[in-house]
Amino acid sequence: MNRIKVILDTNVLYAGLYSALGASYQIMRAVERGQIHLVLSTTLVFEYEEVLKRDSDKLNLTEQKIEDLLDDLCLRSDHQAIHFLWRPCLSDPKDDHILELAVASQASTIVTHNVRDFKKAMDFGIRAIPPSQLLEELK
């Protein structure tokens, strides 16, 4: 199976857990089925954890469920160290670590709901696409 290597922005993970009706949820299902090759960094996992725990009531998830979910994502993903060699690059400095992860891991794609924030990713040969576009490509 030829799996696409992606970096999943936190907003896609959040949306996929918030509602089972959208493309973000389908992306999470594709990860479970092994259709998508996720790459994570320690920084990104900590960001996932902070956002999910902060909004655990909205997501209707206990802290233990969040821990289990993150453990599962880590098991299904490759880990890549990033070294913060260049910053700032993107319009939102909080997203720089995601671009750095894509560059370091040689991932071709960042999946995000904030495509505009990642315009400079193209300078590195990395595209930023919404979940719906990735789903179309998986078909």
Side-chain angles (χ1 to χ4, degrees):
M1 175 187 302
N2 190 14
R3 300 181 308 159
I4 185 168
K5 185 190 267 189
V6 303
I7 310 303
L8 198 65
D9 195 0
T10 306
N11 57 45
V12 177
L13 175 63
Y14 183 94
L17 294 170
Y18 185 78
S19 171
L21 300 177
S24 296
Y25 177 78
Q26 293 303 317
I27 294 295
M28 299 304 299
R29 299 286 300 168
V31 169
E32 288 176 357
R33 291 189 301 269
Q35 293 175 285
I36 296 173
H37 180 123
L38 282 184
V39 181
L40 299 174
S41 67
T42 302
T43 305
L44 186 55
V45 173
F46 283 151
E47 180 177 298
Y48 287 172
E49 180 180 40
E50 190 273 323
V51 170
L52 297 181
K53 285 185 175 180
R54 179 185 64 214
D55 291 343
S56 62
D57 288 342
K58 290 179 189 174
L59 296 169
N60 198 26
L61 294 172
T62 65
E63 286 202 15
Q64 186 58 55
K65 287 275 190 192
I66 292 168
E67 293 291 334
D68 292 345
L69 169 81
L70 293 174
D71 287 347
D72 186 62
L73 278 179
C74 288
L75 286 172
R76 294 176 187 272
S77 305
D78 287 342
H79 183 267
Q80 175 68 51
I82 56 176
H83 300 287
F84 310 102
L85 297 177
W86 38 266
R87 289 193 178 203
C89 185
L90 300 175
S91 59
D92 182 352
K94 292 179 184 176
D95 289 331
D96 279 330
H97 73 97
I98 294 171
L99 177 57
E100 289 174 348
L101 177 57
V103 171
S105 67
Q106 298 178 338
S108 61
T109 306
I110 296 169
V111 182
T112 181
H113 287 290
N114 298 325
V115 172
R116 284 183 285 150
D117 290 350
F118 288 93
K119 282 185 181 178
K120 288 204 170 210
M122 289 302 292
D123 295 346
F124 298 89
I126 298 164
R127 65 196 183 128
I129 62 172
S132 58
Q133 184 175 337
L134 181 58
L135 285 179
E136 284 299 314
E137 293 176 11
L138 291 174
K139 290 183 180 179

PDB file of all heavy atoms in Angstrom, residues 6 10 12 15 29 46 54-55 60 63 71-72 88 95 97 99 101-104 108 117 119 129 134 137:
ATOM      1  N   VAL A   6       2.213  12.495   5.942  1.00  0.00           N
ATOM      2  CA  VAL A   6       1.647  13.798   6.259  1.00  0.00           C
ATOM      3  C   VAL A   6       1.956  14.224   7.689  1.00  0.00           C
ATOM      4  O   VAL A   6       2.223  13.403   8.563  1.00  0.00           O
ATOM      5  CB  VAL A   6       0.109  13.838   6.054  1.00  0.00           C
ATOM      6  CG1 VAL A   6      -0.281  13.452   4.649  1.00  0.00           C
ATOM      7  CG2 VAL A   6      -0.608  12.984   7.056  1.00  0.00           C
ATOM      8  N   THR A  10      -2.951  20.446  14.397  1.00  0.00           N
ATOM      9  CA  THR A  10      -3.793  20.220  15.566  1.00  0.00           C
ATOM     10  C   THR A  10      -5.260  20.506  15.278  1.00  0.00           C
ATOM     11  O   THR A  10      -6.144  19.816  15.787  1.00  0.00           O
ATOM     12  CB  THR A  10      -3.299  21.087  16.743  1.00  0.00           C
ATOM     13  OG1 THR A  10      -1.908  20.823  16.945  1.00  0.00           O
ATOM     14  CG2 THR A  10      -4.059  20.794  18.020  1.00  0.00           C
ATOM     15  N   VAL A  12      -6.980  19.877  12.697  1.00  0.00           N
ATOM     16  CA  VAL A  12      -7.606  18.740  12.020  1.00  0.00           C
ATOM     17  C   VAL A  12      -7.902  17.630  13.035  1.00  0.00           C
ATOM     18  O   VAL A  12      -8.992  17.045  13.023  1.00  0.00           O
ATOM     19  CB  VAL A  12      -6.728  18.225  10.862  1.00  0.00           C
ATOM     20  CG1 VAL A  12      -7.335  16.995  10.211  1.00  0.00           C
ATOM     21  CG2 VAL A  12      -6.524  19.333   9.830  1.00  0.00           C
ATOM     22  N   ALA A  15     -10.899  18.829  15.098  1.00  0.00           N
ATOM     23  CA  ALA A  15     -12.153  18.765  14.342  1.00  0.00           C
ATOM     24  C   ALA A  15     -12.619  17.325  14.164  1.00  0.00           C
ATOM     25  O   ALA A  15     -13.813  17.031  14.227  1.00  0.00           O
ATOM     26  CB  ALA A  15     -11.989  19.445  12.988  1.00  0.00           C
ATOM     27  N   ARG A  29      -9.979   8.314  10.605  1.00  0.00           N
ATOM     28  CA  ARG A  29     -10.297   6.915  10.268  1.00  0.00           C
ATOM     29  C   ARG A  29      -9.255   6.343   9.300  1.00  0.00           C
ATOM     30  O   ARG A  29      -8.867   5.187   9.413  1.00  0.00           O
ATOM     31  CB  ARG A  29     -11.705   6.814   9.667  1.00  0.00           C
ATOM     32  CG  ARG A  29     -12.832   7.280  10.578  1.00  0.00           C
ATOM     33  CD  ARG A  29     -13.131   6.342  11.674  1.00  0.00           C
ATOM     34  NE  ARG A  29     -13.515   5.078  11.044  1.00  0.00           N
ATOM     35  CZ  ARG A  29     -13.641   3.927  11.663  1.00  0.00           C
ATOM     36  NH1 ARG A  29     -13.430   3.859  12.941  1.00  0.00           N
ATOM     37  NH2 ARG A  29     -13.982   2.838  11.035  1.00  0.00           N
ATOM     38  N   PHE A  46       2.885  17.324  22.295  1.00  0.00           N
ATOM     39  CA  PHE A  46       2.565  18.184  23.440  1.00  0.00           C
ATOM     40  C   PHE A  46       1.500  19.217  23.075  1.00  0.00           C
ATOM     41  O   PHE A  46       0.629  19.534  23.891  1.00  0.00           O
ATOM     42  CB  PHE A  46       3.810  18.878  23.984  1.00  0.00           C
ATOM     43  CG  PHE A  46       4.692  17.993  24.816  1.00  0.00           C
ATOM     44  CD1 PHE A  46       6.048  18.226  24.869  1.00  0.00           C
ATOM     45  CD2 PHE A  46       4.181  16.943  25.556  1.00  0.00           C
ATOM     46  CE1 PHE A  46       6.885  17.431  25.641  1.00  0.00           C
ATOM     47  CE2 PHE A  46       4.999  16.131  26.333  1.00  0.00           C
ATOM     48  CZ  PHE A  46       6.358  16.375  26.373  1.00  0.00           C
ATOM     49  N   ARG A  54      -7.350  20.945  27.233  1.00  0.00           N
ATOM     50  CA  ARG A  54      -7.970  22.234  27.519  1.00  0.00           C
ATOM     51  C   ARG A  54      -9.453  22.209  27.154  1.00  0.00           C
ATOM     52  O   ARG A  54     -10.282  22.793  27.839  1.00  0.00           O
ATOM     53  CB  ARG A  54      -7.253  23.339  26.729  1.00  0.00           C
ATOM     54  CG  ARG A  54      -7.846  24.729  26.950  1.00  0.00           C
ATOM     55  CD  ARG A  54      -7.200  25.766  26.071  1.00  0.00           C
ATOM     56  NE  ARG A  54      -7.477  25.471  24.670  1.00  0.00           N
ATOM     57  CZ  ARG A  54      -6.638  25.709  23.665  1.00  0.00           C
ATOM     58  NH1 ARG A  54      -5.461  26.244  23.880  1.00  0.00           N
ATOM     59  NH2 ARG A  54      -6.985  25.428  22.428  1.00  0.00           N
ATOM     60  N   ASP A  55      -9.784  21.531  26.063  1.00  0.00           N
ATOM     61  CA  ASP A  55     -11.163  21.493  25.578  1.00  0.00           C
ATOM     62  C   ASP A  55     -11.807  20.122  25.759  1.00  0.00           C
ATOM     63  O   ASP A  55     -12.721  19.753  25.021  1.00  0.00           O
ATOM     64  CB  ASP A  55     -11.205  21.887  24.102  1.00  0.00           C
ATOM     65  CG  ASP A  55     -10.881  23.350  23.880  1.00  0.00           C
ATOM     66  OD1 ASP A  55     -10.936  24.131  24.845  1.00  0.00           O
ATOM     67  OD2 ASP A  55     -10.581  23.717  22.729  1.00  0.00           O
ATOM     68  N   ASN A  60     -16.012  16.022  24.910  1.00  0.00           N
ATOM     69  CA  ASN A  60     -16.623  14.925  25.661  1.00  0.00           C
ATOM     70  C   ASN A  60     -15.647  13.757  25.835  1.00  0.00           C
ATOM     71  O   ASN A  60     -16.002  12.598  25.631  1.00  0.00           O
ATOM     72  CB  ASN A  60     -17.927  14.463  24.989  1.00  0.00           C
ATOM     73  CG  ASN A  60     -18.796  13.667  25.928  1.00  0.00           C
ATOM     74  OD1 ASN A  60     -18.725  13.828  27.142  1.00  0.00           O
ATOM     75  ND2 ASN A  60     -19.608  12.781  25.369  1.00  0.00           N
ATOM     76  N   GLU A  63      -9.554  12.790  30.458  1.00  0.00           N
ATOM     77  CA  GLU A  63      -8.102  12.895  30.297  1.00  0.00           C
ATOM     78  C   GLU A  63      -7.502  11.542  29.944  1.00  0.00           C
ATOM     79  O   GLU A  63      -6.563  11.472  29.154  1.00  0.00           O
ATOM     80  CB  GLU A  63      -7.461  13.488  31.554  1.00  0.00           C
ATOM     81  CG  GLU A  63      -7.704  14.967  31.672  1.00  0.00           C
ATOM     82  CD  GLU A  63      -6.696  15.669  32.548  1.00  0.00           C
ATOM     83  OE1 GLU A  63      -5.628  15.090  32.864  1.00  0.00           O
ATOM     84  OE2 GLU A  63      -6.959  16.823  32.907  1.00  0.00           O
ATOM     85  N   ASP A  71      -1.464   8.063  22.810  1.00  0.00           N
ATOM     86  CA  ASP A  71      -0.596   6.872  22.793  1.00  0.00           C
ATOM     87  C   ASP A  71      -0.798   6.102  21.489  1.00  0.00           C
ATOM     88  O   ASP A  71       0.170   5.658  20.867  1.00  0.00           O
ATOM     89  CB  ASP A  71      -0.894   5.958  23.981  1.00  0.00           C
ATOM     90  CG  ASP A  71      -0.380   6.508  25.302  1.00  0.00           C
ATOM     91  OD1 ASP A  71       0.412   7.473  25.282  1.00  0.00           O
ATOM     92  OD2 ASP A  71      -0.795   5.961  26.353  1.00  0.00           O
ATOM     93  N   ASP A  72      -2.049   5.944  21.080  1.00  0.00           N
ATOM     94  CA  ASP A  72      -2.353   5.227  19.846  1.00  0.00           C
ATOM     95  C   ASP A  72      -1.772   5.957  18.633  1.00  0.00           C
ATOM     96  O   ASP A  72      -1.177   5.325  17.753  1.00  0.00           O
ATOM     97  CB  ASP A  72      -3.863   5.052  19.693  1.00  0.00           C
ATOM     98  CG  ASP A  72      -4.216   4.202  18.504  1.00  0.00           C
ATOM     99  OD1 ASP A  72      -3.818   3.019  18.469  1.00  0.00           O
ATOM    100  OD2 ASP A  72      -4.886   4.726  17.589  1.00  0.00           O
ATOM    101  N   PRO A  88      11.664  33.054  12.544  1.00  0.00           N
ATOM    102  CA  PRO A  88      10.330  32.654  12.116  1.00  0.00           C
ATOM    103  C   PRO A  88      10.269  32.532  10.597  1.00  0.00           C
ATOM    104  O   PRO A  88      11.080  33.132   9.893  1.00  0.00           O
ATOM    105  CB  PRO A  88       9.454  33.790  12.608  1.00  0.00           C
ATOM    106  CG  PRO A  88      10.335  34.995  12.543  1.00  0.00           C
ATOM    107  CD  PRO A  88      11.724  34.477  12.853  1.00  0.00           C
ATOM    108  N   ASP A  95       3.072  28.057  14.239  1.00  0.00           N
ATOM    109  CA  ASP A  95       3.011  26.972  13.256  1.00  0.00           C
ATOM    110  C   ASP A  95       4.382  26.587  12.707  1.00  0.00           C
ATOM    111  O   ASP A  95       4.500  25.601  11.979  1.00  0.00           O
ATOM    112  CB  ASP A  95       2.106  27.357  12.082  1.00  0.00           C
ATOM    113  CG  ASP A  95       0.638  27.390  12.460  1.00  0.00           C
ATOM    114  OD1 ASP A  95       0.243  26.639  13.370  1.00  0.00           O
ATOM    115  OD2 ASP A  95      -0.122  28.167  11.831  1.00  0.00           O
ATOM    116  N   HIS A  97       6.896  25.114  13.973  1.00  0.00           N
ATOM    117  CA  HIS A  97       7.354  23.762  14.314  1.00  0.00           C
ATOM    118  C   HIS A  97       6.717  22.710  13.403  1.00  0.00           C
ATOM    119  O   HIS A  97       7.317  21.660  13.141  1.00  0.00           O
ATOM    120  CB  HIS A  97       7.106  23.434  15.790  1.00  0.00           C
ATOM    121  CG  HIS A  97       5.675  23.194  16.146  1.00  0.00           C
ATOM    122  ND1 HIS A  97       5.142  21.931  16.222  1.00  0.00           N
ATOM    123  CD2 HIS A  97       4.682  24.053  16.443  1.00  0.00           C
ATOM    124  CE1 HIS A  97       3.870  22.031  16.563  1.00  0.00           C
ATOM    125  NE2 HIS A  97       3.565  23.299  16.696  1.00  0.00           N
ATOM    126  N   LEU A  99       5.975  23.185  10.131  1.00  0.00           N
ATOM    127  CA  LEU A  99       6.748  23.248   8.897  1.00  0.00           C
ATOM    128  C   LEU A  99       8.125  22.609   9.105  1.00  0.00           C
ATOM    129  O   LEU A  99       8.595  21.855   8.248  1.00  0.00           O
ATOM    130  CB  LEU A  99       6.888  24.688   8.416  1.00  0.00           C
ATOM    131  CG  LEU A  99       7.747  24.902   7.170  1.00  0.00           C
ATOM    132  CD1 LEU A  99       7.223  24.081   5.985  1.00  0.00           C
ATOM    133  CD2 LEU A  99       7.810  26.387   6.820  1.00  0.00           C
ATOM    134  N   LEU A 101       8.892  20.246  11.109  1.00  0.00           N
ATOM    135  CA  LEU A 101       8.682  18.802  11.152  1.00  0.00           C
ATOM    136  C   LEU A 101       8.531  18.233   9.746  1.00  0.00           C
ATOM    137  O   LEU A 101       9.116  17.202   9.420  1.00  0.00           O
ATOM    138  CB  LEU A 101       7.445  18.478  12.002  1.00  0.00           C
ATOM    139  CG  LEU A 101       7.024  17.017  12.093  1.00  0.00           C
ATOM    140  CD1 LEU A 101       8.149  16.137  12.612  1.00  0.00           C
ATOM    141  CD2 LEU A 101       5.782  16.903  12.974  1.00  0.00           C
ATOM    142  N   ALA A 102       7.778  18.913   8.906  1.00  0.00           N
ATOM    143  CA  ALA A 102       7.605  18.447   7.528  1.00  0.00           C
ATOM    144  C   ALA A 102       8.938  18.433   6.786  1.00  0.00           C
ATOM    145  O   ALA A 102       9.264  17.477   6.077  1.00  0.00           O
ATOM    146  CB  ALA A 102       6.593  19.327   6.803  1.00  0.00           C
ATOM    147  N   VAL A 103       9.735  19.479   6.952  1.00  0.00           N
ATOM    148  CA  VAL A 103      11.039  19.546   6.285  1.00  0.00           C
ATOM    149  C   VAL A 103      11.961  18.439   6.801  1.00  0.00           C
ATOM    150  O   VAL A 103      12.554  17.697   6.021  1.00  0.00           O
ATOM    151  CB  VAL A 103      11.689  20.941   6.472  1.00  0.00           C
ATOM    152  CG1 VAL A 103      13.123  20.942   5.986  1.00  0.00           C
ATOM    153  CG2 VAL A 103      10.873  22.015   5.758  1.00  0.00           C
ATOM    154  N   ALA A 104      12.061  18.304   8.113  1.00  0.00           N
ATOM    155  CA  ALA A 104      12.974  17.323   8.703  1.00  0.00           C
ATOM    156  C   ALA A 104      12.601  15.887   8.334  1.00  0.00           C
ATOM    157  O   ALA A 104      13.476  15.050   8.134  1.00  0.00           O
ATOM    158  CB  ALA A 104      13.011  17.484  10.223  1.00  0.00           C
ATOM    159  N   SER A 108       5.673  15.346   2.414  1.00  0.00           N
ATOM    160  CA  SER A 108       5.292  16.198   1.292  1.00  0.00           C
ATOM    161  C   SER A 108       4.070  17.057   1.577  1.00  0.00           C
ATOM    162  O   SER A 108       3.785  17.988   0.839  1.00  0.00           O
ATOM    163  CB  SER A 108       4.992  15.327   0.067  1.00  0.00           C
ATOM    164  OG  SER A 108       3.905  14.456   0.348  1.00  0.00           O
ATOM    165  N   ASP A 117      -2.102  30.003   6.270  1.00  0.00           N
ATOM    166  CA  ASP A 117      -0.996  30.200   7.219  1.00  0.00           C
ATOM    167  C   ASP A 117       0.283  29.482   6.786  1.00  0.00           C
ATOM    168  O   ASP A 117       1.352  29.761   7.313  1.00  0.00           O
ATOM    169  CB  ASP A 117      -1.384  29.710   8.612  1.00  0.00           C
ATOM    170  CG  ASP A 117      -2.422  30.590   9.277  1.00  0.00           C
ATOM    171  OD1 ASP A 117      -2.705  31.688   8.756  1.00  0.00           O
ATOM    172  OD2 ASP A 117      -2.963  30.172  10.321  1.00  0.00           O
ATOM    173  N   LYS A 119       1.434  29.192   3.480  1.00  0.00           N
ATOM    174  CA  LYS A 119       1.811  29.516   2.095  1.00  0.00           C
ATOM    175  C   LYS A 119       3.310  29.353   1.850  1.00  0.00           C
ATOM    176  O   LYS A 119       3.734  28.879   0.811  1.00  0.00           O
ATOM    177  CB  LYS A 119       1.384  30.938   1.741  1.00  0.00           C
ATOM    178  CG  LYS A 119      -0.077  31.059   1.424  1.00  0.00           C
ATOM    179  CD  LYS A 119      -0.413  32.461   0.976  1.00  0.00           C
ATOM    180  CE  LYS A 119      -1.894  32.549   0.680  1.00  0.00           C
ATOM    181  NZ  LYS A 119      -2.291  33.884   0.279  1.00  0.00           N
ATOM    182  N   ILE A 129      -2.690  21.399   2.536  1.00  0.00           N
ATOM    183  CA  ILE A 129      -3.991  21.131   1.949  1.00  0.00           C
ATOM    184  C   ILE A 129      -5.019  20.890   3.042  1.00  0.00           C
ATOM    185  O   ILE A 129      -4.682  20.461   4.144  1.00  0.00           O
ATOM    186  CB  ILE A 129      -3.952  19.927   0.985  1.00  0.00           C
ATOM    187  CG1 ILE A 129      -3.548  18.638   1.711  1.00  0.00           C
ATOM    188  CG2 ILE A 129      -3.029  20.203  -0.200  1.00  0.00           C
ATOM    189  CD1 ILE A 129      -3.661  17.381   0.873  1.00  0.00           C
ATOM    190  N   LEU A 134      -7.174  15.902   0.811  1.00  0.00           N
ATOM    191  CA  LEU A 134      -6.480  14.653   1.072  1.00  0.00           C
ATOM    192  C   LEU A 134      -7.413  13.466   0.884  1.00  0.00           C
ATOM    193  O   LEU A 134      -7.027  12.447   0.298  1.00  0.00           O
ATOM    194  CB  LEU A 134      -5.864  14.635   2.465  1.00  0.00           C
ATOM    195  CG  LEU A 134      -5.083  13.374   2.827  1.00  0.00           C
ATOM    196  CD1 LEU A 134      -3.947  13.104   1.849  1.00  0.00           C
ATOM    197  CD2 LEU A 134      -4.558  13.464   4.252  1.00  0.00           C
ATOM    198  N   GLU A 137      -7.701  12.624  -2.713  1.00  0.00           N
ATOM    199  CA  GLU A 137      -6.491  11.967  -3.205  1.00  0.00           C
ATOM    200  C   GLU A 137      -6.396  10.516  -2.759  1.00  0.00           C
ATOM    201  O   GLU A 137      -5.753   9.697  -3.437  1.00  0.00           O
ATOM    202  CB  GLU A 137      -5.254  12.750  -2.764  1.00  0.00           C
ATOM    203  CG  GLU A 137      -5.161  14.097  -3.401  1.00  0.00           C
ATOM    204  CD  GLU A 137      -4.008  14.929  -2.906  1.00  0.00           C
ATOM    205  OE1 GLU A 137      -3.131  14.393  -2.196  1.00  0.00           O
ATOM    206  OE2 GLU A 137      -3.986  16.134  -3.226  1.00  0.00           O
TER     207      GLU A 137
END
